[in-house]
Amino acid sequence: TLTPAPHRRAVHAHVVTIRAQMSTTTVRVHYIRHGESQWNAEQQAARRRGVSESFVRTLAAEPRFTDSPLSETGVRQAISLRARLMEGSDGLAAALRCAADGSCAAPTLIVSNLRRAVDTGLLALRHLLDAREDLRVAVLPALQESCHYADCGPLPLAAGLRLEPPVISAAAAIEAARESAEAAMRHVVGTAEAHEEAEAEEALSRAIRHSVVGTVLAAQARALAASGGADAAWLREDGYPRLHLDPRHAEPEVFDDRRRLSDALRLARVVELDDAALGEAVRPLLARLGAVGSELLSGGGAAGGGVIAGHSRLLRELLWAFSTGQDAARLSVPLALGGGSGGVVAGLRWDGGAADGACASLASEHTKLSNCGAAPLDLRGRGVDRVCSRLQL
């Protein structure tokens, strides 16, 4: 479903089907927005209290909201989506059932590097992952939400280039973080006394990181515990071990993907720029879109389509980047297939007059996909057209 952002106009419950010129194969992709995060819940509560938007923005920068995990409501939404997918008879539900029993190819499974999307994807697709032990879930930093607030940044990777797995006990997470932070602080004191300022500064940063990680993992554990604990144990023991992060994406400057439009630009105004300025402004979005397309089309994933667990603002901006070639193909998205640097180039166009304006609305600043809402997108070759259709799970 589509729901309006706070204080924004409502739209009908339509979803977008996009067909893009890439190859002769049609790839059906279902894009799922994560369930409610703890930051989502906090900002909604703050607005209900009548606080100013400037205060909300200040609150958004607090370290405790780094990589904000699902709230209790968000966990329930992801589990509810799983139930709908298990019980449904068509659309995504049918495709997943077919893949689970082995009668058709499995989709490529991709999640962003932020744990609210990771947990939503894993929890919603648990029945497929349980049935198909051979499946892995790709973690793609290019799907990271596109803002500069704390909740749009990932926690540092754990040892072995792994995402920090959930902990069963919030108290255990806090205790482990305290011990790590205290050890780092002892190192700070020792190096400071030895006048090793650079090492002392790094040790202090490490102590702060340990504290933030512990806070986030404890918050995640408390939310997961509300579902009874079984899913928390599954995520830790089976779900997170199924995640795959390409080592090329594990470098800190790549894993924390901050490519986005400038804060000074509004989507509705960027398209008014001349060709050179437009290309420069949206280059970060086109690069991200190319990375997502490459991931979907690599490794034979086209046969089973794809399922993405991601974020609303990023989807809006990627679809908007898709739309900027309105009258003439002013932009193109490079797709590096098979790990190469060249390959297919997708020429993108947009039909702003689609039914009920639902296609255009998803790519505007007035609408966002609802928590655990899903939009099907078709990537198809030879000709570009666009259709809006009602959501079918």
Side-chain angles (χ1 to χ4, degrees):
T1 59
L2 303 180
T3 58
H7 313 302
R8 296 172 180 174
R9 66 178 176 81
V11 298
H12 298 294
H14 284 69
V15 294
V16 176
T17 299
I18 294 176
R19 294 184 170 85
Q21 178 183 343
M22 288 193 295
S23 69
T24 57
T25 302
T26 296
V27 182
R28 167 56 60 95
V29 181
H30 287 87
Y31 190 108
I32 300 171
R33 185 195 177 195
H34 62 81
E36 182 191 72
S37 72
Q38 296 187 25
W39 166 240
N40 292 154
E42 182 71 24
Q43 64 176 317
Q44 290 166 10
R47 290 187 173 111
R48 284 196 296 270
R49 294 195 301 271
V51 303
S52 67
E53 286 301 307
S54 62
F55 177 82
V56 172
R57 290 192 292 271
T58 300
L59 190 64
E62 291 191 6
R64 65 191 174 104
F65 293 119
T66 300
D67 200 356
S68 185
L70 294 176
S71 65
E72 292 183 14
T73 296
V75 172
R76 289 193 295 270
Q77 288 171 337
I79 294 173
S80 176
L81 175 58
R82 179 173 72 212
R84 299 201 306 275
L85 292 175
M86 293 175 67
E87 297 167 0
S89 59
D90 53 16
L92 178 56
L96 295 179
R97 185 178 302 106
C98 175
D101 64 24
S103 57
C104 64
T108 298
L109 307 177
I110 311 175
V111 296
S112 97
N113 55 347
L114 300 178
R115 61 193 51 239
R116 57 187 178 275
V118 172
D119 290 0
T120 297
L122 291 175
L123 290 173
L125 301 174
R126 178 178 173 178
H127 59 300
L128 173 62
L129 294 171
D130 283 343
R132 293 285 301 273
E133 295 184 358
D134 59 311
L135 294 182
R136 294 293 178 268
V137 180
V139 177
L140 191 62
L143 287 169
Q144 181 176 323
E145 183 64 303
S146 56
C147 79
H148 58 272
Y149 296 125
D151 72 309
C152 292
L155 289 184
L157 289 170
L161 304 182
R162 298 177 300 111
L163 270 68
E164 287 280 0
V167 295
I168 303 302
S169 165
I174 293 173
E175 178 61 21
R178 183 187 64 79
E179 292 177 357
S180 297
E182 287 182 352
M185 286 304 297
R186 287 194 294 271
H187 190 56
V188 170
V189 174
T191 51
E193 290 176 346
H195 303 289
E196 298 171 349
E197 295 181 2
E199 189 173 346
E201 183 177 340
E202 170 56 29
L204 180 58
S205 296
R206 192 162 57 248
I208 294 172
R209 288 197 298 271
H210 286 310
S211 176
V212 171
V213 169
T215 299
V216 173
L217 293 182
Q220 181 185 26
R222 283 191 288 268
L224 289 170
S227 70
D231 281 301
W234 180 85
L235 284 174
R236 179 177 177 81
E237 302 301 327
D238 196 12
Y240 271 62
R242 307 283 284 275
L243 299 174
H244 171 70
L245 175 66
D246 189 314
R248 295 174 300 174
H249 300 153
E251 294 296 326
E253 65 275 12
V254 177
F255 183 68
D256 188 357
D257 194 334
R258 296 302 177 108
R259 294 176 292 179
R260 57 191 178 87
L261 286 175
S262 166
D263 287 341
L265 293 174
R266 303 285 292 181
L267 294 182
R269 298 299 303 275
V270 178
V271 75
E272 299 173 2
L273 301 173
D274 61 45
D275 285 0
L278 172 65
E280 186 62 29
V282 303
R283 189 186 309 277
L285 297 181
L286 296 178
R288 284 203 190 203
L289 190 55
V292 174
S294 299
E295 187 70 32
L296 286 167
L297 294 174
S298 64
V307 179
I308 294 175
H311 306 271
S312 180
R313 175 172 174 165
L314 178 65
L315 175 64
R316 178 170 71 241
E317 292 185 349
L318 291 183
L319 292 180
W320 178 88
F322 196 104
S323 79
T324 51
Q326 294 177 8
D327 296 322
R330 299 176 66 186
L331 301 169
S332 63
V333 177
L335 298 173
L337 304 181
S341 58
V344 179
V345 173
L348 305 179
R349 290 174 181 265
W350 182 263
D351 173 12
D356 293 332
C359 291
S361 71
L362 254 189
S364 76
E365 292 166 320
H366 304 291
T367 312
K368 65 180 180 181
L369 197 62
S370 60
N371 291 123
C372 283
L377 302 89
D378 281 348
L379 306 183
R380 194 187 70 174
R382 306 306 179 196
V384 183
D385 62 303
R386 199 154 282 97
V387 182
C388 288
S389 60
R390 291 192 180 277
L391 174 64
Q392 290 186 322
L393 287 178

